[in-house]
Amino acid sequence: MANQSYLKRVNQRRVMLAVRESGAQSRSAIADQLALDRKSMTNLANELIAEGWLCESGTVSSQRGRPGTLLELDRSRHLFLGLHLSENAANAVLINLHGQILERDQRSFDLPAKLPQLRWALREVYLPLRRLAGDRLQAIGLAVPGILDFASGTMLHSVNLQALDGVELRSLLPSDLPAELYLEESSRAKALAELWFGIGQGRSSFVSIDLGIGIGAGIVIGKRLQGGAFAGEIGHVLIEPGGRLCACGHRGCLEAYLSEHVLCQELSQALQQPLTSLEQVQSLNPAAEAILQQAGYFLGRGLAALVNILCPPLLVLHGNLTRFQQHLFPAMERGLSDAALSSCRSRVEVRISAFGSEAAALGAAAAPLENVFLG
Amino acid sequence: MANQSYLKRVNQRRVMLAVRESGAQSRSAIADQLALDRKSMTNLANELIAEGWLCESGTVSSQRGRPGTLLELDRSRHLFLGLHLSENAANAVLINLHGQILERDQRSFDLPAKLPQLRWALREVYLPLRRLAGDRLQAIGLAVPGILDFASGTMLHSVNLQALDGVELRSLLPSDLPAELYLEESSRAKALAELWFGIGQGRSSFVSIDLGIGIGAGIVIGKRLQGGAFAGEIGHVLIEPGGRLCACGHRGCLEAYLSEHVLCQELSQALQQPLTSLEQVQSLNPAAEAILQQAGYFLGRGLAALVNILCPPLLVLHGNLTRFQQHLFPAMERGLSDAALSSCRSRVEVRISAFGSEAAALGAAAAPLENVFLG
C-alpha cells in the first residue's frame, strides 16, 4: 500500500525538520513533539542514522533516571556543493547539513566574460570540492543571474552575463556529474541562503533583495521560495515615471538608479576615482553622500511596492551597496514613508545579510534542502 | 498512535479534493489516481458518505463488466453561509459544496453607514438563510473591507466603512451562531470566490484585484490565499510621485486615481450627471472616454508592480470599473507595456470576474473550504 511508504517519508522529514529547527534532542522529546509513538520513533531514528541523516551526539539527563541520547543532523555524511557564477567571478562552497562551509573557492574573471572563461572558472572551483566531497556528495547546486527556463535548464536571458544567453547550464560543468544538479537564479539563491542558514531561519515568510549590478528579489512564503522563474523582478518596478532609461528598455526602473554599475559611474565622478565595484570606495565626500542618499530614497520607493503588495515581515538586503547603510537607511526610510502604507511598513523589519559574496553559492548548495526536509 | 488518524484525515481530504477537481468518479478511479489500495478506498468512501461529504451519483459502465458507482460531492448535506458588508449593502449567499447558490439576499443602506444600520442589514440577510440551512449549516463566513486583526477578530481600520473601526466583528451577528465563524477581508474574499468557484479554479497561483471604492488584492499561491492581513494593498502602490493626495495621506497612490468615488466625481462632470456608482453610467462621451482611458493607463502601471514582483500567471479583475473594458483595457495594456518587464508581462493573463456584486459573499462562504479540502 502506497500509504505506508508515503507516511514513512512524511515522518522521516518531520523528524529531520524537528531536529533541524529545535537542535539536538532526545528520541522521546522528538516523539512527544510530533505525536509519534515510541516504536515508530525508534524505527525512524534507526533508519535515519543508518542513512547518514542523523547521528547520536552525547547524552542528556532525563527525569526518568536513564540518560537519553541526543540526536542531531549528521555533520559528515551528506555534503552539498554550491556554485555561483556572478558577473566577474565563480564561487564555490562545500557545506554539510548544518550549513557549515567545509571548503570554499573563488576564481575572478574580467567583464564582460565569454563562455570559455565562465566554463573555465566554474570548473576550477568545482573540481577540487567535488574531489574533497567524494561519495559524501549528496547534490550540486548552480546559481546564475538571469531568467532561467527551469524545465529545460536553459538560460533564456541574462542581462548581466550575456554569454549565458541560450546556454544549457549543465553544459558548463563536466558531463560526469556525481550527483543531481539543482539550478537556481542567483538573486533567488541568496534568499535560499537566508532561509536555510541566515536571517530567514525559522521565519515563515520574508523577501531577500539582491542589490548588485542587477537588482532582483527572492520571495519566501511558507518556508519555500515562491513565484516561479519570472518573479522577483523588483529592479524593474517603476519608481520615476519618464525617468532614466533602463537596460530593459523602459524609463524610470529602480535598477536604472540603483545598479552597482550606475552608482559606480556616479561615485567615480563625485570621488574623482575610477570605480568598477562599490567595494573599491575608500571614503566619501558630500557629493558622494548625496548620491547614496538619493539611491537610498529610490530604494525605499521600490521596496514600498513590495511592502504594499506582500507586506513581508522581513526584508533582507544583499550587495555591496549595503556597506553604506549609514547613508542609505535614513533615506530609504523616507522613501518607504512616502510610498508604503504605514500599517504595512510598520510590520516590516529590514536587515542586512551577513553572507557577503558567498551568499549565492551558499544558496545554491541549499537548493536541494527543500527536497531533503520538506519534500 | 497519532499517525493513523493523521493519515486518515490526509487521505479523506485527498479523496474529497480528487472528486472536487476531477468531477464524479468511481471508487476505483479515485483509488488509482491516489495510489490507495481498494480496502482503504472503500473505508474512506463509506466514512465520507456517512458524514455527508460524498454521495453516490449514478453508475458508469466498466470494462470489467460490473458497472461502477460514481462518487461526487454531496450537494445537500453541508451548506456554507457567506456574508459581505460593503460600503452600501449587506449581501448573503447560501451555497453547497459545489458552490451552487441555494439562496441569496441583499439589503442596501445609505453612505456613510452607522454601526446600527450595518448590524441591522447584516442580520436581515443572515437570519432567513440561517433558518433555511438549519442543521445542514457547516460554517459561516463574513467579509468586510479594511484591515483586520485576525487573532482577535477585530477591525483595526476600515477606510471605507469607518463605523467598523475597532469593532469586534462577531458582535455584528446574533450571539447564538449555530456554526463556526470565519472572517475575511472583502478583497481577499473575492480571491477566494475565484479560487474555489471562479476563474481561479484549478489554477495554482493568481491574483484577484478588487477595483471598488477601495482597491485591494487577494494573492493566491499554491492554491491558498497568502500574505497575511496586511498584504494586497495594491491601491497604495505609488504610480505618480508627487501626484494626487490619497485618503491614506500619501500622494500619487493608485487608489487616488482609480477609486470608484474619484472616478464618479470625474465622470459626473464629464457626463453632466450626478453619479455615486459606476453602475449608473448609461452612455459615454469623448471626455468620459478620456477619463476611463487615463484610469486604464494608471491601472496598468499599478498592475505592473505586481507583475514584476510576483509574475502571477493570472490576474482577475473585480468591480464596476470592469464594465468599461472596451476603453479600459487598451490603455491598461499601454500602462503595463511602459512599466512591466516584457518577459513577465507576456506570461500574465488578465480576465474579468463573472461574479459581480456577490463575489465577496461567495468568497466568505468559501473561506471554510481550505479547511475542508486542504487541511
Side-chain angles (χ1 to χ4, degrees):
Chain A
M1 155 160 148
N3 276 338
Q4 288 305 326
S5 63
Y6 170 76
L7 181 61
K8 184 171 136 185
R9 253 192 350 265
V10 167
N11 279 332
Q12 282 193 336
R13 288 188 176 121
R14 290 170 76 211
V15 169
M16 285 183 63
L17 198 63
V19 172
R20 183 183 144 73
E21 294 191 338
S22 310
Q25 286 178 83
S26 69
R27 285 169 173 79
S28 57
I30 301 168
D32 288 348
Q33 185 186 333
L34 302 180
L36 290 166
D37 65 35
R38 299 302 155 102
K39 179 154 168 285
S40 299
M41 182 63 217
T42 302
N43 291 340
L44 287 165
N46 289 345
E47 284 158 6
L48 288 168
I49 289 170
E51 291 168 13
W53 294 108
L54 295 182
C55 62
E56 298 190 332
S57 72
T59 56
V60 65
S61 61
S62 153
Q63 292 179 333
R64 274 167 277 177
R66 205 159 63 106
T69 309
L70 296 179
L71 293 179
E72 67 169 15
L73 298 179
D74 192 315
R75 281 164 209 274
S76 57
R77 269 282 289 279
H78 293 290
L79 304 184
F80 300 84
L81 201 166
L83 298 162
H84 173 216
L85 267 182
S86 73
E87 291 81 356
N88 58 2
N91 270 282
V93 295
L94 184 67
I95 67 169
N96 64 17
L97 275 174
H98 288 253
Q100 293 165 323
I101 296 179
L102 309 183
E103 190 55 271
R104 47 168 55 92
D105 208 347
Q106 190 190 351
R107 289 290 180 286
S108 300
F109 44 77
D110 291 332
L111 271 148
K114 295 193 174 150
L115 198 54
Q117 276 177 292
L118 298 179
R119 188 176 279 126
W120 167 82
L122 202 55
R123 292 179 186 214
E124 285 289 304
V125 297
Y126 161 73
L127 287 170
L129 269 60
R130 172 196 150 168
R131 267 193 298 274
L132 179 63
D135 61 6
R136 297 175 298 163
L137 189 62
Q138 176 69 17
I140 300 164
L142 170 60
V144 286
I147 295 182
L148 299 182
D149 176 17
F150 284 95
S152 67
T154 305
M155 173 63 76
L156 292 177
H157 180 50
S158 178
V159 173
N160 298 310
L161 255 184
Q162 294 186 2
L164 290 183
D165 279 14
V167 170
E168 201 192 331
L169 295 168
R170 174 180 280 273
S171 73
L172 296 171
L173 290 166
S175 57
D176 60 338
L177 288 186
E180 197 178 349
L181 178 66
Y182 289 72
L183 300 176
E184 196 46 271
E185 196 283 324
S186 50
S187 293
R188 291 164 47 94
K190 292 178 185 182
L192 288 177
E194 299 302 332
L195 173 63
W196 289 99
F197 306 122
I199 300 172
Q201 264 192 98
R203 309 290 286 249
S204 171
S205 301
F206 67 93
V207 179
S208 165
I209 317 284
D210 190 14
L211 303 169
I213 294 174
I215 294 184
I219 299 166
V220 171
I221 295 174
K223 299 197 177 183
R224 291 173 196 254
L225 189 59
Q226 297 286 346
F230 298 91
E233 293 289 348
I234 193 173
H236 301 283
V237 164
L238 180 70
I239 56 153
E240 192 74 353
R244 276 192 206 161
L245 191 62
C246 179
C248 76
H250 291 156
R251 289 196 167 275
C253 298
L254 182 62
E255 195 166 302
Y257 295 84
L258 230 66
S259 162
E260 190 161 353
H261 272 334
V262 170
L263 289 172
C264 280
Q265 280 176 6
E266 294 185 338
L267 290 172
S268 293
Q269 279 208 312
L271 297 171
Q272 298 286 307
Q273 176 199 352
L275 298 166
T276 56
S277 160
L278 292 175
E279 281 183 328
Q280 297 159 350
V281 175
Q282 304 289 337
S283 62
L284 297 172
N285 61 22
E289 288 175 6
I291 289 166
L292 291 171
Q293 282 160 9
Q294 172 79 333
Y297 182 76
F298 282 141
L299 173 60
R301 264 205 197 157
L303 293 179
L306 192 60
V307 167
N308 284 327
I309 290 172
L310 281 177
C311 198
L314 171 68
L315 295 176
V316 185
L317 305 184
H318 288 259
N320 289 328
L321 186 55
T322 59
R323 291 157 39 89
F324 308 105
Q325 177 178 359
Q326 185 192 343
H327 301 285
L328 203 68
F329 270 40
M332 177 187 78
E333 201 46 65
R334 285 198 300 279
L336 277 165
S337 295
D338 280 0
L341 206 60
S342 65
S343 56
C344 300
R345 167 64 190 108
S346 64
R347 279 163 177 85
V348 181
E349 179 189 4
V350 184
R351 293 179 61 187
I352 291 178
S353 170
F355 289 133
S357 63
E358 282 180 334
L362 194 56
L369 295 181
E370 182 173 314
N371 260 356
V372 171
F373 288 98
L374 302 174
Chain B
M1 154 162 151
N3 275 337
Q4 288 306 323
S5 64
Y6 169 76
L7 181 61
K8 184 170 137 183
R9 253 192 350 266
V10 167
N11 278 331
Q12 282 193 335
R13 288 187 175 121
R14 290 171 75 211
V15 169
M16 285 183 61
L17 198 63
V19 172
R20 183 183 144 75
E21 293 192 337
S22 310
Q25 287 177 83
S26 69
R27 286 169 172 80
S28 57
I30 301 168
D32 289 348
Q33 185 187 333
L34 302 180
L36 289 167
D37 65 35
R38 298 304 153 100
K39 179 156 166 285
S40 299
M41 182 63 218
T42 302
N43 291 339
L44 287 165
N46 288 345
E47 284 160 7
L48 288 168
I49 289 170
E51 292 169 13
W53 295 108
L54 294 183
C55 63
E56 298 190 333
S57 72
T59 56
V60 65
S61 62
S62 154
Q63 293 179 331
R64 274 166 278 176
R66 209 159 59 106
T69 308
L70 296 180
L71 293 178
E72 67 168 15
L73 297 179
D74 192 316
R75 280 164 210 275
S76 58
R77 270 282 291 281
H78 293 290
L79 304 184
F80 301 83
L81 201 166
L83 299 162
H84 173 216
L85 266 183
S86 74
E87 290 81 357
N88 58 2
N91 270 282
V93 295
L94 185 67
I95 67 169
N96 64 16
L97 276 175
H98 287 253
Q100 292 166 325
I101 296 178
L102 309 182
E103 189 57 90
R104 47 167 58 89
D105 208 348
Q106 190 189 350
R107 289 290 180 286
S108 301
F109 44 79
D110 292 333
L111 271 146
K114 295 195 174 148
L115 199 54
Q117 276 177 292
L118 298 178
R119 189 176 278 127
W120 167 81
L122 202 56
R123 290 178 188 218
E124 284 288 304
V125 297
Y126 162 73
L127 287 170
L129 268 60
R130 173 196 150 168
R131 267 194 297 276
L132 180 63
D135 61 6
R136 296 174 299 164
L137 189 62
Q138 176 70 18
I140 301 164
L142 169 61
V144 287
I147 294 183
L148 300 183
D149 176 17
F150 284 96
S152 67
T154 305
M155 173 63 75
L156 293 177
H157 180 51
S158 178
V159 172
N160 299 309
L161 255 184
Q162 294 185 3
L164 290 184
D165 279 14
V167 170
E168 201 193 332
L169 295 167
R170 176 179 279 272
S171 73
L172 296 170
L173 291 165
S175 58
D176 59 339
L177 288 186
E180 196 178 350
L181 179 65
Y182 288 73
L183 300 175
E184 197 45 273
E185 196 283 325
S186 51
S187 294
R188 291 165 46 95
K190 292 179 185 182
L192 288 177
E194 299 301 333
L195 172 64
W196 289 99
F197 307 122
I199 299 172
Q201 263 192 101
R203 309 290 286 250
S204 171
S205 301
F206 67 93
V207 179
S208 166
I209 318 284
D210 190 14
L211 303 169
I213 294 174
I215 294 184
I219 298 166
V220 172
I221 295 175
K223 300 199 177 181
R224 291 174 196 254
L225 190 59
Q226 297 286 346
F230 297 91
E233 292 290 347
I234 192 171
H236 300 283
V237 164
L238 180 71
I239 56 154
E240 192 75 351
R244 275 192 208 161
L245 191 62
C246 179
C248 76
H250 291 157
R251 290 196 166 274
C253 297
L254 182 63
E255 197 165 299
Y257 295 85
L258 231 64
S259 162
E260 190 161 354
H261 273 334
V262 171
L263 288 172
C264 280
Q265 280 177 5
E266 294 184 338
L267 290 172
S268 294
Q269 278 210 313
L271 298 170
Q272 299 286 306
Q273 176 198 351
L275 298 165
T276 57
S277 160
L278 292 175
E279 279 182 328
Q280 297 158 349
V281 175
Q282 304 289 335
S283 62
L284 297 173
N285 60 23
E289 289 175 5
I291 289 166
L292 292 171
Q293 283 160 9
Q294 172 79 334
Y297 181 77
F298 282 141
L299 173 60
R301 262 204 198 156
L303 293 180
L306 191 61
V307 167
N308 284 328
I309 290 172
L310 281 177
C311 198
L314 171 68
L315 294 176
V316 185
L317 304 184
H318 288 259
N320 289 328
L321 185 56
T322 59
R323 291 156 40 90
F324 308 104
Q325 177 179 1
Q326 187 192 343
H327 301 285
L328 203 68
F329 270 41
M332 176 188 79
E333 200 46 64
R334 285 197 301 279
L336 277 165
S337 294
D338 280 0
L341 205 61
S342 64
S343 55
C344 299
R345 167 64 192 107
S346 64
R347 279 164 178 84
V348 181
E349 179 189 2
V350 184
R351 292 178 63 186
I352 291 177
S353 170
F355 289 131
S357 63
E358 281 180 334
L362 194 55
L369 295 182
E370 183 174 312
N371 260 357
V372 171
F373 287 99
L374 301 174

